[in-house]
Amino acid sequence: MQATLTARCVRPAGVRPSAAQRARLQVCAATHEIAVLSGDGIGPEITAATLPVLTEAGRAEGEEFAYTEAPIGGAAIDATGDPYPASTEEVCKASDAVLLACIGGYKWDTLPNAQRPEKGLLRLRSSLNAFANLRPAVVLPQLADASTLKREVVEGTDILIVRELVGGIYFGEPRGFKEENGERVGFNTMVYRESEIERIARVAFEAAMKRGKQLCSVEKSNVLEVSQLWKEVVTRVAADYPEVELSHMYIDNAAMQLIRNPKAFDTIVTGNIFGDILSDEASMLTGSLGMLPSASISEPGKPGIYEPVHGSAPDIAGQDKANPLAMVLSAAMMCRFGLNLPKVADRLEAAVTAALDAGYRTGDIMQPGCKLVGCQEMGRVVLQYVEQQATAKA
């Protein structure tokens, strides 16, 4: 996949610039190749609101983005019969980063398991070996009252959950159904290798070093052998990070403490299924899934996947009610963790904060005295604040 000439151009997969265009690119600043997977439901809406904001934030720092669209999930099923077609995999592997909106919807719920949209997401993660999922849960002061918990419980919460993403019970074999003693039995296998545990542990320790230097490893070692191995390996890796305070907690206790005293946590590392549960629980501390980004990263030099935590919300799709801020913040995580563009990330995050400070709210985070706006308008407001930053800098 070749770079396009302008960050404002969104091209379909397979369209490449001419040789003359590629030659001119050689004397220009590097263009960051972004695979854009808008997916299903509200995905196209929040994508459309986000790309101009990302483009402008990049322009202000002298950076260009080239966007190549490709289908995934239900949209890919409708177009090709496959939730993750080979053409999409090719685009993603050739990119510098993957910006994903959301997938799934009621339309595809009756399909066989192997053909459902969610399989496309699992295959995307596996194909890029995106083994580490970073899920921040930060309670912004402007939205502390939007949480279902008391302000004094959640205000100041700043948690990063590091979840192993391509192993564990979601991928373990054997799995399936069988007949036993005259009835159907469903079974799955939870398995982790030492190498898989060590690499996710190192990602978590490195993240903790950049934060509060506290890491809590969550497992169920009082019952599960796989968790006993997890605890042993994480403890061993801790010797390489003497500045980080390591603690261990059973998953059931962690789920309780996350609600009881969320500010006690800084960085959490855990396996796939436990991380799936804890990260969704932590997201509700903030008051809305519409505010939460995530990053799924691979080995250095390989593209990561950056996506909002929320789902495709088919019940509000096409109604201009979606909150695009998690998508904008996912783009910020992409710039910070995937493209090494911290100044662009800072601009995006500052623009989101400015929009909230000015009282703009989508329906999911609406509060008394604030201004209700739709997805498109929220995108325009954030873009306006990015442009104001650029003007002030100039």
Side-chain angles (χ1 to χ4, degrees):
M1 182 177 64
Q2 302 294 332
T4 55
L5 289 174
T6 170
R8 294 171 178 81
C9 176
V10 179
R11 65 170 183 234
V15 177
R16 301 172 184 270
S18 67
Q21 289 173 329
R22 293 197 299 272
R24 286 196 297 272
L25 277 173
Q26 293 177 359
V27 297
C28 296
T31 300
H32 306 284
E33 290 280 357
I34 311 301
V36 177
L37 312 182
S38 58
D40 309 317
I42 63 173
E45 298 170 69
I46 62 174
T47 301
T50 296
L51 294 186
V53 178
L54 175 58
T55 295
E56 180 61 23
R59 187 200 62 78
E61 294 296 339
E63 304 290 345
E64 285 193 347
F65 300 99
Y67 308 121
T68 302
E69 292 183 313
I72 192 171
I77 292 171
D78 290 348
T80 71
D82 185 345
Y84 185 50
S87 58
T88 297
E89 181 175 354
E90 179 183 355
V91 167
C92 291
K93 286 184 174 179
S95 70
D96 296 315
V98 177
L99 188 59
L100 168 67
C102 44
I103 64 167
Y106 311 130
K107 177 181 179 180
W108 304 281
D109 280 351
T110 59
L111 291 176
N113 187 50
Q115 299 174 21
R116 294 181 65 176
E118 293 78 11
K119 285 294 183 182
L121 178 58
L122 293 177
R123 287 167 54 194
L124 167 65
R125 291 169 176 171
S126 181
S127 71
L128 298 183
N129 195 27
F131 67 90
N133 181 239
L134 310 183
R135 288 272 292 264
V138 180
V139 177
L140 301 173
Q142 305 95 325
L143 299 177
D145 290 326
S147 174
T148 54
L149 299 182
K150 296 178 180 178
R151 172 181 278 270
E152 57 265 29
V153 174
V154 299
E155 189 170 23
T157 295
D158 184 351
I159 302 169
L160 179 66
I161 297 178
V162 181
R163 167 190 171 193
E164 201 289 322
L165 202 57
V166 297
I169 200 166
Y170 291 168
F171 292 91
E173 297 288 350
R175 63 189 297 157
F177 302 93
K178 65 180 179 179
E179 292 284 337
E180 189 175 275
N181 297 326
E183 61 179 343
R184 296 181 71 211
V185 177
F187 58 95
N188 294 85
T189 303
M190 187 171 182
V191 57
Y192 272 115
R193 293 170 176 80
E194 284 184 287
S195 58
E196 293 174 319
I197 301 170
E198 180 171 343
R199 70 179 181 178
I200 192 67
R202 291 194 180 280
V203 169
F205 276 106
E206 291 290 342
M209 285 289 291
K210 298 174 182 177
R211 292 171 50 84
K213 296 185 179 180
Q214 293 181 324
L215 179 63
C216 180
S217 175
V218 174
E219 27 77 359
K220 191 64 176 171
S221 57
N222 59 333
V223 175
L224 302 174
E225 285 82 0
V226 64
S227 284
Q228 293 168 15
L229 179 63
W230 179 282
K231 184 175 183 179
E232 176 186 322
V233 174
V234 172
T235 301
R236 186 173 70 227
V237 173
D240 294 334
Y241 298 89
E243 294 179 58
V244 176
E245 179 185 344
L246 174 66
S247 61
H248 302 273
M249 191 174 292
Y250 297 146
I251 176 60
D252 44 354
N253 187 30
M256 179 181 67
Q257 296 299 331
L258 201 55
I259 296 299
R260 178 178 176 271
N261 185 19
K263 287 178 281 191
F265 294 99
D266 180 76
T267 306
I268 295 172
V269 62
T270 190
N272 206 340
I273 188 169
F274 297 158
D276 194 2
I277 296 166
L278 289 182
S279 55
D280 278 355
E281 181 186 1
S283 70
M284 290 315 299
L285 298 172
T286 69
S288 174
L289 287 172
M291 291 300 302
L292 296 176
S294 75
S296 300
I297 61 176
S298 184
E299 305 289 347
K302 295 184 179 180
I305 307 163
Y306 303 86
E307 59 179 311
V309 168
H310 61 69
S312 62
D315 53 320
I316 63 169
Q319 300 177 41
D320 195 35
K321 293 181 177 179
N323 184 345
L325 296 182
M327 187 69 167
V328 175
L329 294 172
S330 294
M333 288 193 77
M334 177 184 73
C335 292
R336 190 176 303 282
F337 292 101
L339 302 176
N340 194 28
L341 302 175
K343 292 183 178 180
V344 178
D346 289 344
R347 285 182 176 275
L348 293 170
E349 292 166 354
V352 168
T353 297
L356 294 174
D357 284 342
Y360 292 96
R361 301 287 189 273
T362 48
D364 59 312
I365 55 174
M366 185 59 185
Q367 297 168 298
C370 293
K371 180 180 180 181
L372 179 64
V373 295
C375 181
Q376 295 181 45
E377 180 63 17
M378 182 63 89
R380 286 192 289 266
V381 167
V382 177
L383 176 60
Q384 172 188 326
Y385 283 112
V386 171
E387 292 171 340
Q388 288 180 4
Q389 293 170 14
T391 302
K393 182 178 179 181

